[in-house]
Amino acid sequence: MTEPDMPTPPWERARRRPARVRVPLTRERIVDAAFVVLDQEGLDGLSMRRVASELGVAVSALYAHVDNKGELLELMYHRLFDGFELPEPDPELWQEQLKDFARESRARLQRHRDMARISMGQVPFTPELLRHVERLLALLRTAGVPDRVAAIAGDMLSTYIDGFVAEEGVWQERYQGEDTKSWSEIREDMKEYFGALPPDRFPNMLAVANLMVDETNDYRFDLGLDIILRGLASYVKEPPDAS
Amino acid sequence: MTEPDMPTPPWERARRRPARVRVPLTRERIVDAAFVVLDQEGLDGLSMRRVASELGVAVSALYAHVDNKGELLELMYHRLFDGFELPEPDPELWQEQLKDFARESRARLQRHRDMARISMGQVPFTPELLRHVERLLALLRTAGVPDRVAAIAGDMLSTYIDGFVAEEGVWQERYQGEDTKSWSEIREDMKEYFGALPPDRFPNMLAVANLMVDETNDYRFDLGLDIILRGLASYVKEPPDAS
DNA sequence: GAACGAGTAAGAACGCTGTTCAGTAAAGCA
DNA sequence: TGCTTTACTGAACAGCGTTCTTACTCGTTC
């Protein structure tokens, strides 16, 4: 194609690399494409074939860079923690620090459709992610949370966050099939459903139905978080007191 | 076909019912078969075809009784609550009652492989299951938990229970691929893995590693439960005091 | 400069999946 | 006894994750 003897002219030289349209496939590019597919089709529509087509590439090409779909999901899960640094533990501020951690986690999960569902299926015990777990444990332990409590508190927080965001996603998904209803419309539907319950058999449901529906998700998330934090705090002994 | 007046002769009586080898397919029988498959193959191996073959029936026959696989999973989820009655709320005993509820839930989830994973994907807002939610809410509200807290506490408890049992299942599954290792062997492996971490970079992990591994799952489950219960209790005002 | 070897991508294939649909056999009713 | 309704079958469709053989391109070495 090119004359081997001739020097490449400057305009070519500038063009050379971009000329080969075929940008080499990398894990990074595959994960990028996977996120595009995830946002468009959701987790159930995230297939290797769809990711490949997003890259303009054959399916089998992916398997040179990724062992299987499970590993691809794991790589996506790792993205969740990119640049996610937990602060230096401050015993005075541990509750606020934990709240910030939880809110940041939720925000990151919300950045991609069904991301919470992916997260729920993963265990952060890979070498890269252990650092993160370590920092979370540091936060809890320097706060004075007993070791045996701290050992499961991290799990509990993550489970709560994943579960909450996943549930948010379910409601959103369930109602955007046809009309892409807004949250306020969903709320109206829910209120109608709960309001129609026979009052004699469901007095407690009716009593809290409005609260379940009216409050913003942000508020409900923080409230659930507070329940856990108060529970944790109940195990923290005052520093100067008895051991 | 049968003479309504005449008594059925004994030879007929013996042959009649068993003669039609084909026991009619029902939702119940399909769900039964689905549980057999679930226990043998796990959730990932639970396919409509496999369920059909368990019944000695064509796949398409299932679809006369069940809309789709999702509905089958929903029916299996409903089984979880068969005969699961919550006690009459007693304000004095609410913490114990809640613990009993949680332990019973966990035990039921553990009765079938991957049942927790199925449960996580379901919302108990179907007419049959609302009764259960109502009872749970009754427990919380008569205990003095404020409405806005009770409104999310039920969700939180369920999420915790599902998440815990699902995680138990993951460890079990991960290690029974080859040798069907026992829990004690799994523990040994984990201890070795955590023990090999560089102590300067993972001091907190190392400090709690033994606790994460040594304690029984029952203990860890109850401890997590206590965290939530203490959190909830912190919202309960004393009865005689200020409103 | 030519030959080679490693690594990348393509294409077809395998065995599975959930679901649908036209056809058939059996059961219930007149 | 014949007819209608129901219950089931078998084949098919489109899609899935994964593997394997083949083609090709690149950087390196002789």
Side-chain angles (χ1 to χ4, degrees):
Chain A
M1 188 67 73
T2 45
E3 297 279 348
D5 300 332
M6 294 295 286
T8 44
W11 60 89
E12 274 251 355
R13 209 181 305 156
R15 203 146 51 87
R16 262 275 292 288
R17 281 272 161 210
R20 49 130 139 217
V21 187
R22 190 176 288 171
V23 189
L25 214 50
T26 62
R27 282 171 156 247
E28 298 310 310
R29 286 192 57 223
I30 292 176
V31 176
D32 289 341
F35 273 113
V36 173
V37 175
L38 184 68
D39 288 332
Q40 280 177 15
E41 326 274 357
L43 181 56
D44 297 328
L46 177 65
S47 72
M48 298 299 273
R49 281 176 165 83
R50 186 69 184 72
V51 172
S53 89
E54 190 67 27
L55 290 161
V57 132
V59 208
S60 47
L62 303 180
Y63 286 87
H65 305 270
V66 161
D67 275 358
N68 47 43
K69 188 179 177 178
E71 196 186 34
L72 177 52
L73 293 177
E74 192 179 311
L75 290 174
M76 296 174 81
Y77 178 62
H78 271 72
R79 279 278 175 89
L80 214 53
F81 299 89
D82 271 6
F84 191 167
E85 294 300 335
L86 291 179
E88 205 63 38
D90 180 343
E92 304 289 323
L93 297 174
W94 69 276
Q95 301 213 33
E96 270 312 314
Q97 288 182 319
L98 237 37
K99 277 190 200 180
D100 286 344
F101 156 77
R103 293 196 188 110
E104 171 72 14
S105 297
R106 173 162 172 252
R108 282 167 176 259
L109 288 171
Q110 286 175 325
R111 286 218 265 269
H112 295 287
R113 174 134 82 117
D114 286 341
M115 196 58 209
R117 281 174 62 193
I118 294 180
S119 175
M120 290 194 333
Q122 306 284 335
V123 184
F125 279 4
T126 124
E128 300 94 322
L129 266 34
L130 276 185
R131 266 192 56 252
H132 197 80
V133 180
E134 167 71 16
R135 300 285 291 188
L136 185 53
L137 275 180
L139 221 65
L140 290 162
R141 296 217 314 143
T142 61
V145 174
D147 286 357
R148 72 183 195 291
V149 177
I152 76 157
D155 251 21
M156 249 185 57
L157 280 166
S158 304
T159 305
Y160 170 68
I161 298 164
D162 285 346
F164 191 95
V165 180
E167 201 161 318
E168 282 184 289
V170 169
W171 289 116
Q172 229 151 311
E173 212 103 339
R174 176 168 299 188
Y175 274 89
Q176 80 182 359
E178 35 206 54
D179 291 319
T180 327
K181 293 196 179 186
S182 67
W183 259 113
S184 65
E185 285 181 282
I186 299 181
R187 263 201 277 272
E188 228 40 55
D189 283 6
M190 295 281 291
K191 228 183 255 189
E192 193 183 320
Y193 176 64
F194 286 128
L197 292 174
D200 50 326
R201 294 175 48 208
F202 297 98
N204 294 284
M205 289 240 50
L206 285 171
V208 306
N210 285 337
L211 288 166
M212 293 176 75
V213 169
D214 274 339
E215 303 292 358
T216 68
N217 283 350
D218 289 351
Y219 175 80
R220 301 201 317 126
F221 180 76
D222 279 6
L223 188 49
L225 206 51
D226 277 330
I227 297 177
I228 297 178
L229 288 183
R230 289 197 185 201
L232 292 177
S234 75
Y235 287 95
V236 176
K237 295 194 182 68
E238 296 304 321
D241 272 51
S243 83
Chain B
M1 186 68 72
T2 45
E3 298 279 346
D5 302 331
M6 294 293 288
T8 45
W11 58 90
E12 274 248 353
R13 208 183 306 156
R15 200 149 49 85
R16 263 273 293 285
R17 280 273 159 211
R20 49 136 139 212
V21 187
R22 190 176 285 170
V23 189
L25 213 50
T26 61
R27 282 170 157 246
E28 297 311 311
R29 286 191 58 223
I30 293 176
V31 175
D32 288 341
F35 273 113
V36 173
V37 175
L38 184 68
D39 288 332
Q40 279 176 17
E41 325 276 358
L43 181 56
D44 297 328
L46 176 66
S47 71
M48 298 299 274
R49 279 175 168 84
R50 186 70 183 71
V51 172
S53 89
E54 191 67 28
L55 290 161
V57 130
V59 210
S60 44
L62 302 181
Y63 286 87
H65 303 88
V66 161
D67 274 359
N68 47 43
K69 190 180 178 178
E71 196 187 34
L72 177 53
L73 293 177
E74 192 181 310
L75 290 174
M76 297 175 80
Y77 178 62
H78 272 71
R79 278 278 175 90
L80 214 55
F81 298 89
D82 271 7
F84 192 167
E85 292 299 335
L86 291 179
E88 204 63 38
D90 180 343
E92 304 289 322
L93 297 174
W94 69 276
Q95 301 212 34
E96 270 313 315
Q97 287 182 319
L98 237 35
K99 276 190 200 180
D100 288 343
F101 156 75
R103 292 196 189 109
E104 170 72 14
S105 298
R106 172 161 171 251
R108 282 165 175 260
L109 288 171
Q110 286 176 325
R111 284 218 266 267
H112 296 287
R113 173 133 82 117
D114 286 342
M115 197 58 209
R117 281 174 62 194
I118 294 180
S119 175
M120 289 195 336
Q122 305 284 335
V123 184
F125 278 4
T126 123
E128 299 93 325
L129 265 35
L130 276 186
R131 264 192 58 252
H132 198 81
V133 180
E134 167 71 16
R135 301 284 293 188
L136 185 54
L137 276 179
L139 220 67
L140 291 162
R141 296 215 315 144
T142 61
V145 174
D147 286 356
R148 71 182 195 291
V149 177
I152 77 158
D155 251 20
M156 248 185 58
L157 281 166
S158 304
T159 306
Y160 170 69
I161 298 164
D162 285 345
F164 191 95
V165 180
E167 202 161 319
E168 281 183 290
V170 169
W171 289 117
Q172 230 151 311
E173 211 103 337
R174 176 170 299 188
Y175 274 88
Q176 79 181 1
E178 35 207 54
D179 293 318
T180 326
K181 294 196 178 184
S182 66
W183 260 112
S184 64
E185 287 180 281
I186 299 181
R187 265 202 274 273
E188 231 38 59
D189 282 6
M190 294 281 292
K191 231 183 251 190
E192 194 184 319
Y193 176 64
F194 285 128
L197 292 174
D200 52 326
R201 293 175 50 208
F202 296 97
N204 294 285
M205 289 239 51
L206 285 170
V208 305
N210 284 339
L211 289 166
M212 294 175 73
V213 169
D214 273 337
E215 305 292 359
T216 67
N217 283 350
D218 289 351
Y219 175 79
R220 302 199 319 123
F221 181 76
D222 280 5
L223 187 50
L225 206 50
D226 278 330
I227 297 176
I228 297 178
L229 289 183
R230 288 198 186 201
L232 292 177
S234 75
Y235 287 95
V236 177
K237 295 195 182 69
E238 297 303 323
D241 273 51
S243 85

